[in-house]
Every structure is written in C-alpha cells, then in structure tokens.
Amino acid sequence: MATVKKAVRRPAKSIHRPENQVIIELLRAFRERTGLNQVQFAEALGRTQSYVSAAERGSKMDTLQIRDWCHACGTDLIAWATEVEKVLGGGRKPGGRKGTA
C-alpha cells in the first residue's frame, strides 16, 4: 500500500518576502543621506558602482556587507536595524528572546 506524503509548506525565501523591500529601501536611504551618488559611494565603500546598484536592487548581502555599508554611511548596524524595526512594526514574535529591552 502506497503512503501519501503530506505537502510541507515551506516559508517563502527571504528575497521574495515584502520585508526585503524595506531592507533594500533603507540601504538606499542611508546612502542617499550621505549626499553621495552611487559612484561616489562605491568609492567610499571600496567597491564598484555596479555592486552598489546591485545591492540597491536587492542583491543578497551578508551581515558584514551591511555593516560595511552602514559604516560608509557614517552609522552602524544598530541604527540601521532600529530603522528596519520601526518600519516593519518592531513587534516581537511570541517565543522570542525574553529579558531584553
């Protein structure tokens, strides 16, 4: 007798979640606050203009790349993450870390 496997619903990849657009928009906003265009910012970042453009279109960035981006903007990950949380609602999900402010 064959068994029927129940389909497991997997969460959407993060690049397809609407929250990802917030991340991208805030990276761009942080860069724009510097007053630098993509070419100038790329120079400050030590990258190419195409890297900056790709990041602002949603190319995947790891935490250290975002940290470098923030530092090139004259800020840090905490300020960036705080803005992300403000835009996304900042509420903690049940079962999150306890005892932190």
Side-chain angles (χ1 to χ4, degrees), residues 16-36:
H16 300 297
R17 292 176 54 182
E19 297 95 325
N20 190 53
Q21 193 59 38
V22 170
I23 306 267
I24 295 164
E25 289 172 5
L26 286 173
L27 286 173
R28 182 179 302 115
F30 271 51
R31 188 224 359 124
E32 290 173 344
R33 288 179 203 163
T34 68
L36 301 176

Side-chain angles (χ1 to χ4, degrees), residues 1-99:
M1 174 179 232
T3 59
V4 178
K5 289 187 178 183
K6 194 174 191 178
V8 177
R9 184 177 174 169
R10 295 183 180 161
K13 289 185 177 185
S14 60
I15 62 168
H16 300 297
R17 292 176 54 182
E19 297 95 325
N20 190 53
Q21 193 59 38
V22 170
I23 306 267
I24 295 164
E25 289 172 5
L26 286 173
L27 286 173
R28 182 179 302 115
F30 271 51
R31 188 224 359 124
E32 290 173 344
R33 288 179 203 163
T34 68
L36 301 176
N37 63 31
Q38 285 186 349
V39 173
Q40 296 163 329
F41 187 71
E43 289 173 5
L45 194 56
R47 296 286 194 144
T48 63
Q49 182 274 332
S50 61
Y51 170 85
V52 173
S53 177
E56 292 183 356
R57 284 191 324 272
S59 179
K60 208 169 195 178
M61 293 177 67
D62 65 35
T63 306
L64 291 177
Q65 290 171 310
I66 295 172
R67 181 178 183 261
D68 292 342
W69 187 285
C70 291
H71 286 183
C73 292
T75 190
D76 58 27
L77 276 172
I78 295 169
W80 176 77
T82 299
E83 286 206 36
V84 169
E85 288 299 318
K86 279 183 195 174
V87 174
L88 294 179
R92 294 196 177 182
K93 293 182 179 180
R97 288 181 58 190
K98 295 180 182 174

